Amino acid sequence: MSVAQNPLSVEVTLLRDDVALFTVQGYLDVDTATEFRHHLANQLHHGRRHFLLDLTQVPFMDSSGMNIILRVYQEARNLPGSVHIISPQPAVRRILDLTGVSLTVPVSESVEQALDLVDHPQPQSQP
């Protein structure tokens, strides 16, 4: 599938000085992952430490999208900061669960729930 058939839309909303909400719409795949990465890198550059990724409108994500999420997760952790996935569609959630990404990156059902985790981080469980 080409970018023209499935363009990616990323809307960035600053919830606080250090918290950016990314509302993503479209396929997050090899054709669109670089664009998504640029949006995340721009916010890292501007001092954001917490990244809320609203995937409600992402019907498909491949390994390229997952790799971007894991990369920004590592970068944010080093700040220290955090990454939170919000309300992924069932097909995307299945991929996150099967690959173990959802064990590393917290998945929330709402922006409010993710913000609560930013404010009150839960200890990471060790395998």
Side-chain angles (χ1 to χ4, degrees):
M1 299 203 178
S2 73
V3 173
Q5 291 174 327
N6 292 298
L8 185 72
S9 167
V10 180
E11 180 182 321
V12 180
T13 306
L14 300 181
L15 302 179
R16 299 195 289 235
D17 285 344
D18 63 343
V19 180
L21 170 64
F22 297 81
T23 304
V24 185
Q25 183 176 6
Y27 283 47
L28 192 48
D29 58 18
V30 68
D31 291 328
T32 61
T34 301
E35 178 184 348
F36 185 50
R37 174 73 183 131
H38 287 305
H39 285 283
L40 294 166
N42 183 45
Q43 293 305 313
L44 272 168
H45 176 76
H46 284 93
R48 310 304 170 237
R49 297 183 315 120
H50 302 283
F51 300 83
L52 310 184
L53 312 178
D54 183 345
L55 303 184
T56 305
Q57 299 176 66
V58 176
F60 175 81
M61 181 171 61
D62 69 7
S63 61
S64 302
M66 285 185 294
N67 287 335
I68 297 297
I69 291 171
L70 289 172
R71 234 182 274 150
V72 78
Y73 172 80
Q74 287 299 335
E75 291 177 40
R77 258 185 80 175
N78 292 334
L79 292 174
S82 62
V83 174
H84 302 269
I85 296 170
I86 300 169
S87 197
Q89 289 194 14
V92 173
R93 177 64 191 245
R94 181 171 159 77
I95 295 298
L96 294 170
D97 289 346
L98 287 172
T99 58
V101 172
S102 61
L103 296 175
T104 304
V105 182
V107 178
S108 300
E109 293 306 313
S110 68
V111 172
E112 295 77 19
Q113 185 181 32
L115 273 174
D116 188 53
L117 289 174
V118 167
D119 294 335
H120 307 98
Q122 304 297 311
Q124 287 288 95
S125 58
Q126 299 298 322

